[in-house]
Amino acid sequence: QVQLQQSGPELVKPGALVKISCKASGYTFTSYDINWVKQRPGQGLEWIGWIYPGDGSTKYNEKFKGKATLTADKSSSTAYMQLSSLTSENSAVYFCARSGERRDFDYWGQGTTLTVSS
Amino acid sequence: QIVLTQSPAIMSASLGERVTMTCTASSSVSSSYLHWYQQKPGSSPKLWIYSTSNLASGVPARFSGSGSGTSYSLTISSMEAEDAATYYCHQYHRSPPTFGAGTKLELK
C-alpha cells in the first residue's frame, strides 16, 4: 500500500534552517510528483511546491521561492524539503503529498510539526 | 492565482440531515482538476472526492460532488456522526494549485 512517512517534529531557532523528509513506499517513486503543503494552526492549506523525482524537476509557489528547496533521493525513495532563514511565520505543520495525472493529492504524509522559537 | 471561496465557513447538521457546502472559484476551473479533501483534527487531509464528482476509495456513497466552471458543491445525503470534519476544495487547473479556506462541519 502507498505510504508517505515523514520525519519527526522539529524545534529550531530563528534564523536557522531545517530539512524535513518524506519517505515513499508502495509505488514507483519516480513516477509521481511529491508536493509540499503548509498548514498553520487553525488555518487552511498552502501549496509550497512540487518535485518530480524522475528527473528532479521542481516548481515552486512564488511565495516560497528562496525559502523552500525541494530535493529527492531516488536510491532511498525519499523527498526532502529544506526551509531556510526561519522565523515564527514558518511555524506550521508541513505535509508531503503525492499527485499524478489527475493532479489531486491522493496520498499524504502524517505531517511534520515545525516550531521556530528561541 | 485562482482563489477558492468556500461557504459556509462553519455549519452544523443533525443526524440524518442533508448537507450541502459550496466552493466558488475566482475564474473558471476544469472539473477534472477540482477536488475535495476531508480533514479531522490532528490528522492529515484525505482525498475525498476527485475530479468534481468521483468518490475516493472508501468514501461512503452518501457523499456526492457536482459543479462546473466556477461553482462546485459537496453534498452529504444524510449526515452521520463520522462526517464531522473540515472539508477543503482544491483546484489544480492552473498553477499554483490553491485550496479553499475550508468548511467546518459539526454535528448538531
Side-chain angles (χ1 to χ4, degrees), chain B:
Chain B
Q1 66 178 36
I2 296 177
V3 175
L4 299 178
T5 302
Q6 291 189 244
S7 62
I10 305 174
M11 65 185 303
S12 60
S14 302
L15 291 175
E17 186 176 346
R18 184 180 181 86
V19 171
T20 297
M21 60 188 73
T22 65
C23 174
T24 301
S26 59
S27 57
S28 186
V29 170
S30 167
S31 59
S32 296
Y33 304 130
L34 190 289
H35 316 294
W36 294 87
Y37 301 84
Q38 180 197 69
Q39 186 179 33
K40 295 187 176 182
S43 295
S44 53
K46 294 180 181 177
L47 178 64
W48 214 243
I49 297 174
Y50 65 91
S51 303
T52 297
S53 59
N54 299 280
L55 302 185
S57 178
V59 174
R62 62 182 178 273
F63 284 85
S64 63
S66 64
S68 65
T70 61
S71 183
Y72 294 85
S73 63
L74 180 157
T75 297
I76 307 171
S77 60
S78 179
M79 174 76 178
E80 297 201 7
E82 66 180 12
D83 301 337
T86 300
Y87 294 86
Y88 294 96
C89 59
H90 165 225
Q91 71 78 25
Y92 208 157
H93 171 83
R94 187 187 308 158
S95 191
T98 51
F99 296 86
T103 290
K104 185 176 183 180
L105 173 61
E106 300 173 335
L107 181 63
K108 193 182 295 182

